[in-house]
Amino acid sequence: MNKQGNTYTIIYASVMVIVVAAVLAFTALTLKPVQQMNIEVDKKSQILSSVKIASTAKDAAQLYQKYITESFVVDAKGQKTEGDAFTIDIAVQSKLPDAERRLPVFVCTLDNGEKKYILPMYGAGLWGPIWGYVSVDADGNTIYGAYFSHQGETPGLGAEIATESFSGQYTGKHLFVNGEFKSVAVEKKGQTPANGAEYIDAISGGTITSKGVQSMMLNCVTPYQDFLKTLK
């Protein structure tokens, strides 16, 4: 075959495309279990962070097994329903009407025997999605801890939601005020919410992302209020 001809060039290119595609497909299939495991470990680490348990990629799975003693799914009426709490896609659920959502709950039992109830959240920041977890005491009202992360918020500004200086403000705040669910507001320093809700300070220069956290919590935690009332 003439190696300078068009036929040879087309055949050679086609073979190379097939070979490269086969190699890429094999590599993707080979790495998929590892990638999935890394995603699961990272999620477990985030859940643990909401109850102030530090973990690494090496020990997150072990610590999760130790401290997360139960997980289940509830509906907007606070009743348990079918489903695997860990695999539910919160991004999808957050866009559904409250009555249609499947709401995961993770139960943490600390070394002193206290139980904390962890609720996942998903929302929108300034430049992309934000997400997190909030843990609540057994009274169904007092926030024990919170964890937030983001995909592409501005470093030094909106990205500060992922820091302890921001999330730590939630500790001790209450979701119910005088028996009425209010969630927790995020306000500029010196301002207070008009509805009487408890609040934290927004990030200076990152107001839009801060308000995104407020909206995310309101949207994702509100459907849990009947469940939280059962804890009381």
Side-chain angles (χ1 to χ4, degrees):
M1 182 180 293
N2 182 10
K3 293 185 178 182
Q4 305 301 319
N6 291 335
T7 301
Y8 176 84
T9 301
I10 293 173
I11 293 175
Y12 180 82
S14 299
V15 170
M16 288 302 297
V17 168
I18 293 172
V19 170
V20 171
V23 171
L24 290 176
F26 175 78
T27 302
L29 288 173
T30 302
L31 294 179
K32 187 174 182 179
V34 176
Q35 294 171 336
Q36 185 60 38
M37 183 182 68
N38 289 338
I39 291 172
E40 292 179 2
V41 167
D42 183 53
K43 183 174 181 178
K44 289 176 179 178
S45 181
Q46 293 180 28
I47 292 172
L48 290 169
S49 292
S50 73
V51 284
K52 306 175 185 179
I53 298 174
S55 62
T56 66
K58 293 182 178 181
D59 63 9
Q62 180 180 357
L63 291 172
Y64 183 90
Q65 185 175 11
K66 175 182 177 181
Y67 288 105
I68 305 303
T69 52
E70 185 181 6
S71 63
F72 50 85
V73 180
V74 299
D75 58 25
K77 295 180 180 179
Q79 302 297 314
K80 288 186 178 182
T81 186
E82 294 183 359
D84 178 6
F86 193 83
T87 59
I88 286 179
D89 190 337
I90 303 303
V92 173
Q93 297 299 314
S94 66
K95 296 176 176 62
L96 298 175
D98 290 0
E100 297 179 14
R101 295 192 199 181
R102 300 164 67 216
L103 308 168
V105 179
F106 302 91
V107 184
C108 172
T109 304
L110 300 177
D111 291 330
N112 61 7
E114 291 184 1
K115 289 187 180 297
K116 310 298 177 184
Y117 296 83
I118 304 168
L119 317 177
M121 301 173 288
Y122 187 92
L126 175 60
W127 301 114
I130 57 176
W131 61 90
Y133 298 87
V134 60
S135 61
V136 183
D137 286 344
D139 63 1
N141 186 21
T142 308
I143 293 178
Y144 177 73
Y147 169 87
F148 302 106
S149 191
H150 63 92
Q151 180 172 295
E153 300 306 293
T154 307
L157 297 175
E160 293 297 296
I161 64 170
T163 65
E164 172 63 23
S165 60
F166 179 78
S167 62
Q169 296 182 80
Y170 281 88
T171 299
K173 300 298 182 182
H174 297 92
L175 297 169
F176 293 86
V177 177
N178 297 323
E180 183 180 355
F181 183 81
K182 300 275 189 181
S183 188
V184 176
V186 183
E187 299 286 347
K188 290 184 177 180
K189 288 186 178 181
Q191 297 183 358
T192 58
N195 66 350
E198 296 192 5
Y199 65 97
I200 67 165
D201 291 333
I203 297 165
S204 178
T207 304
I208 294 178
T209 308
S210 299
K211 285 297 185 180
V213 172
Q214 173 182 281
S215 298
M216 173 175 69
M217 179 170 285
L218 183 63
N219 175 48
C220 293
V221 179
T222 296
Y224 285 95
Q225 60 181 299
D226 283 347
F227 167 73
L228 294 173
K229 289 176 182 178
T230 67
L231 299 180
K232 296 182 180 181

